[in-house]
Amino acid sequence: MASGSAAKAVGRGSAVGRAPKWVRRFVGNRAAVAGLIGVLLVLFVSIFAPLLAPHDPAKQYFDGLTLEGFPLPPERPFWFGTDLLGRDLLSRVIYGARISLIVGVAANGVAVLIGLMVGVAAGYFRGVPETVLMRITDVMTAFPALILAIALAAILRPSLWIVALVIALVNWVWIARAVYAQVLSIGRREFVEAAGALGVGTFRTLVKHILPHLVSTLMVFGTLGISTTVLLEASLSFLGVGVQPPTPSWGGIINESQSYFLNAPWLVVFPGVSILITSLSFNLLGEGLRDALDLSERR
Amino acid sequence: MIWYLAQRLLQAVGVMLGVTVITFLLVFLLPADPARMIAGRSATPATVASIRSELGLDRPLPVQYVSYVKGLVTGKMGRSYAQKAEVTRLIRARLLPTVQLALAGIVFELLIGLPAGIMAALKRGTGVDQTVMALAFVGVSAPQFVVGLLLIYFLSYLLPIFPLGGYGTPLHVILPAITVGLAGGGWYARVTRSAMIEVLRQDYVRTARAKGVFPTKVVFKHVLKNAVLPVVALVGLDIGVFMGGIVIVESVFGWPGIGQMIWQAIQLVDIPVIMGGVIVTALFVVVGNLLADIVYPALDPRIRYS
Amino acid sequence: MDTETSNQTGRGSAANPPRAAWLGRTGIGRALAALVVLTFGTALAQQGGSAVVSFQDDVSTLDPAIGYDWQNWSIIKSIFDGLMDYVPGTTELVPHLAESYTVSDDGLTYTFALRDDVKFHNGRPLVAQDVKYSLERTLDPATQSPGQGFYFTIKGAQEFVDGKADEVSGIEVVDDHTVKFTTTEPDASFLHKLGLNFAHIVPREAVEAADGDFGHQPVGTGGFKLKEWVLGQRIVLERNPDYFEAGLPYLDELTFQVGVDPNVAFLRLQRGEVDILGDGIPSARYTEVMADPTWSKQVAVGEQMQTGYVTINVQMEPFTDVRVRQALNMAINKDRIVRIINNRAVPATQILPPLFESYASDYAGYPYDVAAAKALLADAGYPNGFDTVLYAYNVAPNDRIAQAIQADLAEIGVRAELRTQAQSTVIEAGGAGEAPLLWSGGMAWIADYPDPNNFYWPILACASNIPGGWNWSKYCNEDIEARAAYADTLARTDQHAERVEAWRSIFVDIMGDAPWIPIFHELQVSMHSTNVTGPKEIFVDPMHIPVHYEMVRRAE
């Protein structure tokens, strides 16, 4: 990432100049700062949604639709246009940030964590744990999540946490297999074997020698996965598992309007760009932090 | 290796059994009545009960499961509740198109993702890298339905280059494969890039460079082979997952894949078809992951299986 | 992938009751039908050509005893025939495979004289034995026919189904071209039931040769026969040159392409690759199409025998109080909901659609009056409203309609939690009596045949107030049940007016109990390319939904 004049600007004398090295490296990285701003923006919007939203996201305006029932394009007083029920899209996108954050960051985060543990355990310890874990991974990949979602929707009270659970249950296999592949390769490197010979504890070995090599991959899954998870949440809520109408979520808005894309593109563009900005921001922030803290360089 | 394969084969049986049991349980957990769905709305309770009994749905669950597995062993998957046709026949009709789309999709994922990821890693920190990264995010964030619709609208409708969906010629598979490839390609690009950067940092790579080994050779011999490991993992998973059908793409492009069949079966609670679809998926998941596991030692000879 | 289109529920019919009894006796009916056919077609000159129909869902089966969804219903009608049928584009019942028929004075015996010029697609002529075989096949539990229950009024049917007899005594083959039905009690809708697909005639040898797969190898007497079926892709039908209706069908070949998304189908229509949108106009393009002068000419709009309604579970608190139910009825802004679906429906005041003769045109139903609704609720003891749950089918536009209903209910203080789920689970919840409120859209009632009793027995009768039954409001009024049973015995032509009035007052009185909130009556909308043409009515045929394929012809 380019550092440029920002680095010089924060150089001497300022508060940042006296800050720890990693902060300075971070601030000097334009992309990382952009990411931080993006994340803070999304957080801000989701926390202060009630204050920011110009309208009630659930209010269906009789005049929010044309006489033939078609949504309105972006134009005052609906700055993002209206949706298929005549509701203000801007307000819905603002409120939708909460769902997307919880699902995209938390649920995805849990999936990454589970996948990490499974992949490392299988790839490092080999033998029986490897077989058992990898075969479980096979089963979970073939597992019909759709049916689980429908079953849960009918049995339990729909809630966001069930969605998060289903997402975590389903997505971890990708991280597990990718991590497993990398750990297989790392695990045999000379220094690891040497460390093992020296009697260094397993956990320490894992953290100090294996984990740093995985950080980049984990970063990718943790941030790119936000987009995929947000869209997945929409499908699950559609089946009745997660947030129920009229609670808005970005994926949900896209889901219900995507066939209108050629005629009412604003319905997909605004939430879609929001998803993009969110996951991109987290990625820039994450990579910026990683570079600044020099995580994967640590030996 | 033979011993390893034999072991994996045995384990595959276990995986298949596991998947079928879980799916069976799940399907019956669904508060939905297949007999009621077939009988329709005007049926008398007697008709519904009669249909339920004809389908063997009034037997205890374990009995139904054993009977089903017995059928599987002899190559029979039962008859669809809604269509009354044999499930094996229904699957066979859709198998080839599903394979074609899955393979074409993976090819495009690699075509789009690998070069982009490699380029981004080599030109790390530059504008090229940032552009590729941003594009990857766009690819992943764009809903497949919208991408498909856009592709059809611009490249099939406005400019009649490709057919308006459907199946039959190689030309028909391109747009659907691109739709799949854009999202997956984004993933592949990012994963390749980070894995490459990771390998490029290794001491032994630095050493090779210091020794004056020609850069291209360094890249393509050592770096790529190791960097591509996680991508191989993803391809293995994609094989399995795609063979379960990609409903959205099939639906937009009118591609006669298994995904649409399974989706409709779930709506109708057509249990034999659901089970058949899940079994096909499980089979290819096992195959896909096995292939990936076999490829790892080829890429990194230090990886061995006991 | 369940793109929404203009045909959400599909089937419907118009209201005329069977005056056919008289017509059948004198043979004028058939002449009239032929005349209608001829006036519709400048026939023979327009024969030939092919057409393509697009569908998103795969066709499940073409077995007339089994097929029961709106998609395969009319395809089956093109391949098979029944003793009775309806004049194209209308709901007027006329004899079809039967040349004429007589009904005994006690209304229990129907004697049909079959035409002698009908051949199956395999070449064999139709005989009376085939009629008996087909109906016994539908009644046979092994066939798993959804329509089995319609024919229990035939004498001996119950014994046959129970396995106590190996034939149905009430169906008698008098000779090769005469078949006699005896019913256990007068059944005013019996002739309609013989017009259902479940009573369409199939040849035994073809069924047995297909070995359980007759649904994919249909052989019938209809205007089209099966030429090719590529599973998951297309069904190709070709003209039956031996079809007994002279001049029909017009088309030489009819192709059904499946798996086509409605938005893409629309693009293909514009290119001329698709001639009829089987799923209707995609909702996203609807307003655009109707506003376009060229396109709107290719659209046909028709009424259906359909009502979309919210069921109120009358056995659950607080809905046990009729005032609460009435309050809900007054809380819904039906005009707004109709606007949300692009005016593709007519707001409903009552249970029956306007096309029925028994429709009470002077009955205004419950007005949209939020203040009055709140007052009623307060009266019933809920001045601050209450919490409840509204179930709905998750496929668009039903989730939107449900949200609109939810918003309207909130205005009077009824806070409804919305549960949009897969259809099978919603149906299950409704049948089990777990759903306090249920928006029936997507599963909304369309009459199987154009008789008012079809709007009562399966969905409002005490008899269907059973676990799993389709009477989701769990409504049971014994008094009305008795009146309904009586109305159905009025089978004679001279009792017709009395019957119409009986059903009219029944449904008005049910509205007084308010077990439902009727919201709208959906219109059928279909669009065809400029390559095909025909009378508008056949593109929105109430009985051959969505299109009466035999009447479609190439445009010049």
Side-chain angles (χ1 to χ4, degrees):
Chain A
M1 313 302 155
S3 36
S5 53
K8 296 200 196 93
V10 302
R12 328 113 233 209
S14 61
V16 181
R18 285 194 297 275
K21 187 169 171 208
W22 70 268
V23 175
R24 273 184 284 135
R25 282 170 72 162
F26 183 86
V27 171
N29 183 342
R30 271 206 304 238
V33 174
L36 178 63
I37 293 175
V39 171
L40 287 176
L41 183 65
V42 176
L43 272 172
F44 180 75
V45 167
S46 62
I47 294 175
F48 293 105
L51 297 171
L52 293 167
H55 303 267
D56 176 0
K59 174 121 184 83
Q60 303 169 14
Y61 290 96
F62 195 79
D63 299 315
L65 296 172
T66 64
L67 285 173
E68 293 80 31
F70 201 77
L72 302 173
E75 180 177 36
R76 157 197 268 264
F78 305 117
W79 296 107
F80 277 8
T82 57
D83 75 349
L84 297 169
L85 275 168
R87 296 177 293 206
D88 178 36
L89 189 64
L90 174 58
S91 307
R92 290 183 69 76
V93 169
I94 288 176
Y95 270 88
R98 301 178 161 178
I99 310 290
S100 312
L101 270 187
I102 293 177
V103 159
V105 177
N108 193 47
V110 169
V112 171
L113 212 61
I114 299 177
L116 171 66
M117 292 193 291
V118 169
V120 165
Y124 188 75
F125 295 112
R126 312 302 303 274
V128 172
E130 179 187 20
T131 308
V132 169
L133 286 172
M134 282 297 108
R135 296 298 80 76
I136 291 179
T137 310
D138 285 349
V139 171
M140 291 310 290
T141 312
F143 182 76
L146 212 58
I147 303 181
L148 174 66
I150 298 178
L152 286 178
I155 299 171
L156 304 168
R157 280 206 65 176
S159 92
L160 198 52
W161 302 109
I162 300 183
V163 178
L165 180 71
V166 175
I167 289 175
L169 212 65
V170 159
N171 274 358
W172 66 260
V173 295
W174 297 86
I175 297 103
R177 290 289 301 179
V179 165
Y180 170 69
Q182 282 192 290
V183 173
L184 272 186
S185 155
I186 300 167
R188 292 279 179 244
R189 300 251 172 83
E190 291 80 13
F191 65 85
V192 174
E193 291 174 341
L198 283 175
V200 177
T202 315
F203 189 70
R204 232 171 146 228
T205 316
L206 285 174
V207 172
K208 278 199 83 167
H209 298 290
I210 310 270
L211 209 56
H213 297 282
L214 301 173
V215 169
S216 297
T217 309
L218 291 176
M219 192 71 62
V220 172
F221 279 101
T223 56
L224 208 54
I226 293 177
S227 296
T228 317
T229 330
V230 169
L231 293 173
L232 182 59
E233 176 272 322
S235 317
L236 292 172
S237 294
F238 169 76
L239 292 169
V241 183
V243 288
Q244 290 296 285
T247 317
S249 71
W250 294 340
I253 299 173
I254 292 178
N255 220 29
E256 68 188 12
S257 349
Q258 50 191 7
S259 57
Y260 282 73
F261 183 71
L262 294 172
N263 295 62
W266 59 92
L267 290 174
V268 173
V269 168
F270 287 116
V273 167
S274 308
I275 297 176
L276 181 61
I277 291 178
T278 306
S279 54
L280 196 54
S281 300
F282 270 96
N283 179 261
L284 291 175
L285 174 63
E287 295 218 335
L289 278 176
R290 187 213 42 213
D291 285 345
L293 291 168
D294 218 10
L295 282 176
S296 52
E297 308 274 2
R298 204 176 282 165
R299 289 283 173 260
Chain B
M1 181 53 79
I2 304 288
W3 177 235
Y4 178 68
L5 283 177
Q7 273 186 313
R8 289 297 293 260
L9 207 65
L10 210 65
Q11 290 167 15
V13 174
V15 168
M16 301 287 287
L17 271 175
V19 174
T20 50
V21 169
I22 293 181
T23 310
F24 215 79
L25 282 175
L26 264 185
V27 165
F28 281 96
L29 208 68
L30 277 177
D33 185 357
R36 190 18 95 171
M37 294 303 288
I38 298 173
R41 54 207 201 157
S42 302
T44 58
T47 306
V48 178
S50 153
I51 293 179
R52 188 175 294 124
S53 153
E54 286 289 323
L55 294 176
L57 289 169
D58 48 359
R59 296 173 298 169
L61 215 53
V63 172
Q64 291 190 48
Y65 181 70
V66 167
S67 155
Y68 183 73
V69 172
K70 273 204 207 141
L72 270 187
V73 166
T74 54
K76 291 199 218 301
M77 285 183 177
R79 283 177 179 271
S80 153
Y81 290 164
Q83 305 188 39
K84 313 292 188 231
E86 291 198 345
V87 175
T88 42
R89 181 159 165 247
L90 296 175
I91 291 180
R92 236 196 338 257
R94 291 179 180 266
L95 203 58
L96 185 60
T98 310
V99 169
Q100 289 170 328
L101 182 59
L103 284 179
I106 291 177
V107 164
F108 271 92
E109 282 181 326
L110 292 170
L111 271 179
I112 296 175
L114 278 183
I118 294 172
M119 227 177 16
L122 290 178
K123 310 255 188 210
R124 186 176 173 209
T126 64
V128 172
D129 180 23
Q130 295 188 320
T131 317
V132 166
M133 173 168 76
L135 285 177
F137 269 85
V138 173
V140 170
S141 310
Q144 277 188 325
F145 184 87
V146 173
V147 172
L149 204 58
L150 277 176
L151 283 174
I152 284 192
Y153 188 71
F154 286 108
L155 296 178
S156 300
Y157 180 68
L158 285 184
L159 299 171
I161 305 174
F162 294 99
L164 277 167
Y167 173 77
T169 69
L171 215 57
H172 281 99
V173 81
I174 302 217
L175 288 187
I178 292 181
T179 309
V180 172
L182 278 175
W187 276 98
Y188 283 26
R190 291 304 320 244
V191 171
T192 307
R193 174 186 175 277
S194 64
M196 266 198 80
I197 292 174
E198 176 47 42
V199 177
L200 282 171
R201 282 209 194 103
Q202 296 307 314
D203 282 339
Y204 71 92
V205 173
R206 291 201 188 137
T207 321
R209 273 176 149 171
K211 277 193 195 156
V213 179
F214 197 63
T216 327
K217 257 178 103 185
V218 168
V219 169
F220 282 91
K221 259 194 108 175
H222 302 280
V223 177
L224 205 54
K225 271 187 178 177
N226 281 284
V228 117
L229 282 169
V231 176
V232 170
L234 295 183
V235 171
L237 279 172
D238 273 343
I239 292 177
V241 169
F242 287 171
M243 280 311 295
I246 314 165
V247 193
I248 296 180
V249 173
E250 288 174 30
S251 167
V252 172
F253 290 95
W255 192 264
I258 280 187
Q260 277 189 324
M261 182 189 85
I262 299 177
W263 174 257
Q264 256 186 280
I266 292 179
Q267 306 298 310
L268 299 170
V269 202
D270 194 341
I271 298 179
V273 177
I274 297 175
M275 293 296 298
V278 168
I279 286 173
V280 168
T281 311
L283 204 64
F284 280 94
V285 164
V286 166
V287 166
N289 285 341
L290 178 59
L291 282 176
D293 286 342
I294 293 178
V295 168
Y296 296 148
L299 291 174
D300 186 344
R302 293 169 300 179
I303 297 178
R304 261 180 210 93
Y305 297 111
S306 46
Chain C
M1 62 246 75
D2 282 295
T3 308
E4 56 172 298
T5 62
S6 55
N7 282 354
Q8 289 312 308
T9 33
R11 308 184 19 241
S13 45
N16 298 335
R19 255 182 235 109
W22 165 79
L23 292 173
R25 255 181 278 246
T26 54
I28 289 185
R30 217 184 108 225
L32 259 181
L35 192 66
V36 161
V37 164
L38 283 178
T39 49
F40 279 161
T42 48
L44 300 158
Q46 311 258 305
Q47 210 163 70
S50 60
V52 176
V53 183
S54 68
F55 281 116
Q56 172 148 52
D57 287 339
D58 199 0
V59 174
S60 59
T61 177
L62 291 179
D63 184 334
I66 298 173
Y68 194 26
D69 61 55
W70 68 270
Q71 182 176 317
N72 57 26
W73 196 253
S74 64
I75 305 180
I76 290 175
K77 279 194 181 299
S78 306
I79 300 178
F80 296 90
D81 295 303
L83 289 173
M84 309 290 292
D85 197 7
Y86 299 86
V87 173
T90 77
T91 57
E92 196 185 319
L93 188 66
V94 291
H96 195 53
L97 280 180
E99 196 158 49
S100 65
Y101 64 90
T102 58
V103 186
S104 66
D105 287 328
D106 59 3
L108 295 178
T109 310
Y110 296 77
T111 310
F112 292 91
L114 299 177
R115 298 179 67 116
D116 54 9
D117 57 351
V118 181
K119 287 210 200 116
F120 286 107
H121 298 147
N122 59 11
R124 175 166 81 68
L126 171 85
V127 291
Q129 180 59 38
D130 293 315
V131 175
K132 185 173 166 85
Y133 170 74
S134 304
L135 275 151
E136 283 178 351
R137 178 170 183 259
T138 295
L139 281 165
D140 189 346
T143 311
Q144 299 171 35
S145 170
Q148 185 198 48
F150 287 115
Y151 305 100
F152 275 108
T153 47
I154 301 178
K155 195 163 120 192
Q158 188 68 61
E159 289 80 3
F160 175 73
V161 169
D162 293 338
K164 299 202 188 96
D166 52 6
E167 56 142 0
V168 178
S169 55
I171 310 177
E172 189 190 326
V173 174
V174 175
D175 61 51
D176 269 354
H177 290 104
T178 316
V179 63
K180 193 151 71 155
F181 287 88
T182 312
T183 57
T184 50
E185 56 193 12
D187 183 351
S189 45
F190 188 68
L191 287 171
H192 280 295
K193 291 177 185 172
L194 289 182
L196 289 172
N197 288 10
F198 306 114
H200 280 22
I201 314 302
V202 299
R204 173 195 286 260
E205 67 275 12
V207 172
E208 287 173 353
D211 192 25
D213 206 22
F214 189 64
H216 288 95
Q217 301 168 37
V219 174
T221 59
F224 284 103
K225 53 182 174 173
L226 181 69
K227 180 174 171 200
E228 175 191 47
W229 189 338
V230 181
L231 281 181
Q233 294 181 48
R234 63 179 176 279
I235 296 176
V236 183
L237 302 182
E238 66 182 352
R239 187 166 181 272
N240 173 12
D242 298 324
Y243 190 45
F244 63 89
E245 295 256 29
L248 293 186
Y250 295 107
L251 294 171
D252 283 337
E253 196 176 88
L254 186 60
T255 305
F256 294 94
Q257 285 190 346
V258 299
V260 187
D261 177 274
N263 289 287
V264 178
F266 183 73
L267 293 177
R268 285 170 127 192
L269 182 93
Q270 293 175 261
R271 277 275 200 79
E273 291 175 25
V274 163
D275 296 302
I276 298 175
L277 296 178
D279 296 311
I281 307 170
S283 291
R285 314 298 300 261
Y286 187 80
T287 42
E288 191 188 335
V289 167
M290 297 310 270
D292 184 295
T294 322
W295 284 345
S296 51
K297 290 210 192 69
Q298 298 164 234
V299 174
V301 181
E303 292 190 43
Q304 295 186 87
M305 307 307 273
Q306 190 263 11
T307 306
Y309 49 89
V310 175
T311 58
I312 308 175
N313 191 329
V314 307
Q315 293 180 2
M316 271 191 183
E317 298 273 355
F319 304 111
T320 43
D321 187 334
V322 67
R323 288 171 297 183
V324 173
R325 305 198 294 266
Q326 291 172 335
L328 294 189
N329 265 278
M330 291 193 273
I332 310 294
N333 184 345
K334 298 172 188 175
D335 289 321
R336 185 171 74 91
I337 293 180
V338 165
R339 186 197 269 201
I340 286 170
I341 56 169
N342 311 122
N343 303 322
R344 277 183 273 127
V346 170
T349 55
Q350 53 192 276
I351 293 166
L352 288 181
L355 294 179
F356 273 109
E357 251 191 316
S358 296
Y359 181 74
S361 35
D362 51 350
Y363 176 72
Y366 295 98
Y368 172 52
D369 189 339
V370 174
K374 281 198 202 156
L376 249 191
L377 267 190
D379 241 10
Y382 300 96
N384 299 316
F386 53 86
D387 292 338
T388 187
V389 179
L390 171 65
Y391 281 74
Y393 178 27
N394 55 12
V395 169
N398 298 300
D399 57 331
R400 289 212 295 280
I401 297 173
Q403 287 179 69
I405 296 172
Q406 181 192 39
D408 282 347
L409 290 176
E411 290 290 312
I412 65 166
V414 177
R415 296 166 294 275
E417 175 198 331
L418 192 53
R419 294 207 192 148
T420 52
Q421 300 172 349
Q423 189 182 34
S424 50
T425 42
V426 175
I427 291 174
E428 191 69 16
E434 288 164 7
L437 297 174
L438 207 167
W439 161 242
S440 68
M443 310 163 286
W445 199 255
I446 305 184
D448 291 308
Y449 49 80
D451 187 293
N453 76 4
N454 191 250
F455 258 89
Y456 178 77
W457 293 108
I459 47 182
L460 286 167
C462 297
S464 49
N465 176 8
I466 44 169
W470 220 266
N471 180 349
W472 296 332
S473 45
K474 301 302 169 194
Y475 173 71
C476 173
N477 184 322
E478 299 285 0
D479 191 58
I480 289 187
E481 187 93 343
R483 284 160 61 187
Y486 174 69
D488 275 352
T489 61
L490 304 174
R492 295 198 316 267
T493 348
D494 57 318
Q495 295 171 312
H496 174 69
E498 189 193 340
R499 184 158 185 266
V500 167
E501 186 47 45
W503 278 110
R504 177 176 302 135
S505 68
I506 285 174
F507 281 114
V508 168
D509 291 345
I510 294 179
M511 278 306 291
D513 282 340
W516 283 7
I517 312 172
I519 309 276
F520 57 60
H521 303 294
E522 215 176 301
L523 296 171
Q524 224 191 144
V525 183
S526 84
M527 186 171 179
H528 58 89
S529 73
T530 46
N531 295 328
V532 294
T533 182
K536 280 284 185 223
E537 308 85 74
I538 60 139
F539 287 104
V540 285
D541 192 312
M543 298 311 293
H544 288 231
I545 296 169
V547 174
H548 197 305
Y549 299 115
E550 284 148 319
M551 299 290 302
V552 176
R553 56 180 204 273
R554 285 312 278 191
E556 283 313 294

